[in-house]
Amino acid sequence: MALGQFQPVVAKWFSETLGAPSPPQVRGWPAIASGKNVLIAAPTGTGKTMAAFLHALDQLLARGSDLEDVTKVLYVSPLRALSNDVRKNLQAPLAELRERDPSLPEVRVAVRTGDTTQSQRQKMLRKAPHILVSTPESFYLLLTSAGGRGLLKNVETVIVDEIHALSRDRRGSHLALSLERLDALCEKAPQRIGLSATQRPLEKVARLLVGERPCELVDLGHLREIELDVIVPPSPLSAVCSHEQWSEIYSAMAELIRARRTTLVFVGTRKLAERLSARLSDELGKELVGCHHGSLSRERRLDAEDRLKRGELSVLVATASLELGLDVGQVDLVIQVGSARSIATLLQRVGRAGHGVDRKPAGRIFPLTRDEAVEAAALVGAIRAERLDRTPEPPAAIDILAQQIVAECAARPEGVHEDELFERFRRAGPYLQLERKDFERAIELHLGDRWSLLHRDAVGRRLVATRRARLPALTSGGAIPDNADYEVRLAPEDTFIGTVNADFAVEASAGDIFQLGNSSWRVLKVERGRMRVADAQGLPPNLPFWLGEGPSRTRELSQEISNLRRELPDASELARRIEIQPTAAKEVCEYLSEGARALGGA
């Protein structure tokens, strides 16, 4: 029996609180208990996180009074919001278990991300949490600082959540090297557990997690039964969305939202998130609408998440900041405005509704142009046919390698042997084919002048960090590009509200009203890197803008669109085949036919 491997109090709590174990849990627990590296792939909302955590919690609780004040479990997620969410979802069951059996030891959980205050960081250094929740960037910083290395040296289990999201780019390369550094720090290499929801092929994701080490794959697929539809406004779409069409879209969205308790609306940019939250506030009432994106302060993001969970919001408008495995409560519907630009992204977002075992996700796509209507139909068609984007492989980036070399040397004052570093980093998935000449190139980036970060002992073949290396190692880590955003602070309290693009801030003048986080603010003063504002008391605002937000379309989705254009299906046949509204199918097919005629194809 799946729960039979756990302590009776843990098994009883699980069965009475969560019911029967889900398939990822039934198949994942034995693999995890064996001590092997494990990658669990299953649809969003099927209990993967609990599959990874329950065995670790059970092992910690089983130690009783022998449980030491050291960190045993490290959880890494791509999003700060997901990290905070996991901490809350661990603390609740731990408290319930201790209520059932007061003899159980206290298991402490702490979060270390960019949002963590200095006092919280010092507190966890004084008394280590048993479970540390972090992001790839903060994990790197912990590996590079003396206090952080003291926290991590006893880690036995590393859980990497939503690992497919890290596989897309150089963040995956960076994390893979950090995992190798952790192995070198710990007396025994920790067990690695990866969690993924939308990936293809699974073996490539496993390679990012463990390199060439053995890894047991627990593959439950990527699809659940899902309810999807495409909704177009009464006025025919065109190359741009007119004011009239926007009004029709707002009304249609408000009608869907009113018919449900809670709705998540996903958009592609922060500016559109602010615009939609403002207009939906007019339709539904400001107190029922929230806004969530990465340029809002931690307090405002957490407040929006908590209000949604408590049922105080009818709708929360979000960017990708909420698309991963957050527990946002009982969401009944997900609305995608515009195109998600990726099959996997749409699946991930719609999975926020029905985020739980035995619940059915429901989603609606609102295309804003005729091209987006075709893209929406192709997205739905791909999901109906159980097709998925190929998960990108992170590159063997030399600059990321150089960054990690400097960081490892800065963390070890005695220096590191070149051969040790080379062999260590070649075990990371993206760097399995790393050649010595490329490794040498990475080292040479930081040798040769008075500003060098490394000193090379040619005789002993050791690399030693220079005195000035520590500061850039701790302040310039990660693969997320820097931006020049301005902080927005409420005067006179100096409360941090969020950030806006530097160009927007520079062009602003005292007295201007703008919106951030679905609230209006009046500009008092623009300083270097900072805007001082006052509450504008709901006065009509302008919208801020941010640069570099347009996501690209995946190759697989582009192929789906090409296939649809080539087929030129009949509207009724398209509506039946991919199960969308006839009005949407008609608009798609008419547009495709017009294009074919214009090009001489029909």
Side-chain angles (χ1 to χ4, degrees):
M1 187 174 178
L3 291 171
Q5 62 187 287
F6 301 114
Q7 297 177 76
V9 64
V10 174
K12 187 177 181 181
W13 167 83
F14 186 96
S15 59
E16 291 179 355
T17 306
L18 301 174
S22 65
Q25 293 161 356
V26 171
R27 291 181 52 185
W29 285 332
I32 293 169
S34 71
K36 301 174 184 175
N37 297 316
V38 180
L39 176 59
I40 302 176
T44 296
T46 54
K48 295 188 300 298
T49 304
M50 184 56 72
F53 266 116
L54 194 65
H55 181 267
L57 292 178
D58 184 73
Q59 293 295 300
L60 291 171
L61 293 169
R63 300 188 189 198
S65 59
D66 294 330
L67 182 62
E68 302 173 277
D69 290 332
V70 295
T71 299
K72 294 292 185 182
V73 180
L74 173 67
Y75 169 92
V76 180
S77 80
L79 290 180
R80 289 176 293 179
L82 187 53
S83 298
N84 285 297
D85 185 70
V86 166
R87 176 183 60 84
K88 294 177 185 176
N89 289 340
L90 284 175
Q91 287 175 333
L94 285 169
E96 292 172 18
L97 285 165
R98 291 198 76 202
E99 283 181 14
R100 290 169 179 256
D101 185 354
S103 68
L104 292 174
E106 178 191 8
V107 175
R108 294 185 301 279
V109 184
V111 175
R112 174 59 169 88
T113 69
D115 287 334
T116 308
T117 64
Q118 192 61 39
S119 62
Q120 290 170 329
R121 297 177 190 184
Q122 292 302 316
K123 181 179 178 180
M124 70 179 70
L125 290 178
R126 289 193 297 269
K127 192 170 185 179
H130 301 103
I131 301 173
L132 183 60
V133 179
S134 191
T135 60
E137 290 71 33
S138 291
F139 173 32
Y140 159 87
L141 292 175
L142 289 167
L143 283 168
T144 307
S145 66
R149 290 174 73 82
L151 272 181
L152 296 178
K153 67 181 181 180
N154 294 295
V155 166
E156 296 175 351
T157 304
V158 180
I159 300 170
V160 183
D161 204 353
E162 307 288 1
I163 189 171
H164 60 277
L166 295 167
S167 183
R168 299 171 184 168
D169 52 36
R170 291 141 57 97
R171 286 186 83 195
S173 309
H174 193 266
L175 173 66
L177 294 173
S178 291
L179 289 171
E180 297 306 324
R181 292 177 62 197
L182 180 66
D183 272 12
L185 174 65
C186 298
E187 185 175 339
K188 179 183 177 183
Q191 179 186 23
R192 301 184 189 182
I193 302 172
L195 307 176
S196 184
T198 49
Q199 68 294 305
R200 183 177 72 89
L202 191 58
E203 292 76 14
K204 295 293 180 68
V205 180
R207 187 161 68 182
L208 171 60
L209 178 67
V210 300
E212 290 185 326
R213 301 172 180 85
C215 182
E216 182 159 343
L217 305 182
V218 179
D219 188 2
L220 278 301
H222 66 274
L223 277 178
R224 301 162 64 190
E225 186 180 359
I226 188 171
E227 178 191 329
L228 268 180
D229 205 350
V230 178
I231 299 177
V232 295
S235 303
L237 291 171
S238 59
V240 295
C241 193
S242 68
H243 290 297
E244 178 187 1
Q245 288 162 343
W246 268 117
S247 297
E248 294 169 347
I249 288 170
Y250 293 138
S251 297
M253 289 173 59
E255 184 178 345
L256 287 172
I257 294 164
R258 289 190 188 100
R260 291 160 177 83
R261 187 174 60 176
T262 51
T263 301
L264 264 178
V265 177
F266 281 104
V267 297
T269 67
R270 287 165 282 186
K271 180 175 182 177
L272 187 53
E274 294 286 354
R275 175 180 179 177
L276 269 177
S277 59
R279 290 299 303 267
L280 288 175
S281 293
D282 296 337
E283 296 274 351
L284 302 167
K286 188 177 180 66
E287 69 284 354
L288 298 178
V289 181
C291 187
H292 191 291
H293 56 74
S295 287
L296 294 175
S297 68
R298 171 181 180 269
E299 290 72 22
R300 288 183 172 270
R301 295 194 312 270
L302 292 179
D303 177 65
E305 295 164 25
D306 290 340
R307 288 169 64 202
L308 187 70
K309 290 179 185 179
R310 293 194 300 265
E312 297 174 8
L313 292 179
S314 292
V315 58
L316 182 58
V317 185
T319 58
S321 60
L322 273 183
E323 79 181 26
L324 297 180
L326 291 175
D327 177 9
V328 286
Q330 298 294 314
V331 172
D332 301 314
L333 178 69
V334 165
I335 294 174
Q336 170 68 45
V337 178
S339 174
R341 314 294 281 172
S342 158
I343 306 165
T345 298
L346 182 64
L347 279 171
Q348 193 79 46
R349 291 180 174 182
V350 175
R352 300 299 96 220
H355 188 248
V357 180
D358 299 327
R359 297 190 65 212
K360 183 178 180 180
R364 302 289 185 272
I365 307 174
F366 279 81
L368 303 178
T369 65
R370 301 180 86 182
D371 281 315
E372 285 188 353
V374 176
E375 198 162 318
L379 276 165
V380 176
I383 291 172
R384 302 288 191 223
E386 301 187 8
R387 290 190 283 271
L388 189 63
D389 316 289
R390 186 179 181 87
T391 305
E393 292 188 69
I398 298 301
D399 59 333
I400 295 296
L401 177 64
Q403 183 185 122
Q404 291 277 18
I405 290 172
V406 171
E408 184 69 0
C409 293
R412 297 165 63 176
E414 74 281 6
V416 189
H417 198 283
E418 291 183 27
D419 294 342
E420 176 194 338
L421 267 185
F422 178 63
E423 294 302 326
R424 172 66 58 188
F425 286 154
R426 278 194 75 196
R427 297 173 191 169
Y431 295 89
L432 292 173
Q433 306 302 318
L434 178 67
E435 296 184 9
R436 190 72 190 221
K437 62 181 179 64
D438 292 323
F439 179 73
E440 296 288 339
R441 284 173 54 209
I443 294 173
E444 288 167 3
L445 285 172
H446 298 297
L447 294 173
D449 58 40
R450 63 175 183 157
W451 305 112
S452 298
L453 301 181
L454 295 175
H455 169 71
R456 188 176 219 164
D457 176 1
V459 176
R461 296 184 58 78
R462 298 184 71 81
L463 293 171
V464 181
T466 61
R467 293 179 61 183
R468 66 180 302 274
R470 181 173 176 77
L471 184 60
L474 289 171
T475 57
S476 303
I480 300 175
D482 291 333
N483 55 46
D485 288 353
Y486 273 49
E487 291 185 351
V488 178
R489 291 191 172 270
L490 180 64
E493 301 92 335
D494 201 40
T495 303
F496 177 57
I497 297 168
T499 61
V500 293
N501 182 263
D503 290 347
F504 176 82
V506 169
E507 293 172 7
S509 302
D512 287 354
I513 309 294
F514 71 97
Q515 178 176 304
L516 187 61
N518 202 27
S519 297
S520 297
W521 308 100
R522 179 165 51 86
V523 177
L524 300 178
K525 187 178 182 182
V526 179
E527 303 171 341
R528 184 176 181 180
R530 184 170 298 180
M531 292 180 71
R532 303 284 183 183
V533 300
D535 190 338
Q537 306 295 326
L539 289 174
N542 293 318
L543 292 176
F545 58 80
W546 294 266
L547 302 179
E549 292 193 281
S552 60
R553 190 169 66 199
T554 63
R555 180 186 297 271
E556 289 76 12
L557 178 54
S558 296
Q559 185 61 55
E560 295 289 332
I561 294 170
S562 296
N563 294 343
L564 193 59
R565 291 181 180 277
R566 188 181 301 112
E567 291 170 10
L568 287 177
D570 175 78
S572 59
E573 191 274 333
L574 179 65
R576 178 193 58 77
R577 188 179 75 197
I578 66 173
E579 302 173 36
I580 62 172
Q581 291 188 14
T583 51
K586 180 182 178 182
E587 186 136 359
V588 168
C589 292
E590 286 180 352
Y591 179 46
L592 294 179
S593 297
E594 288 176 16
R597 286 194 297 271
L599 295 171

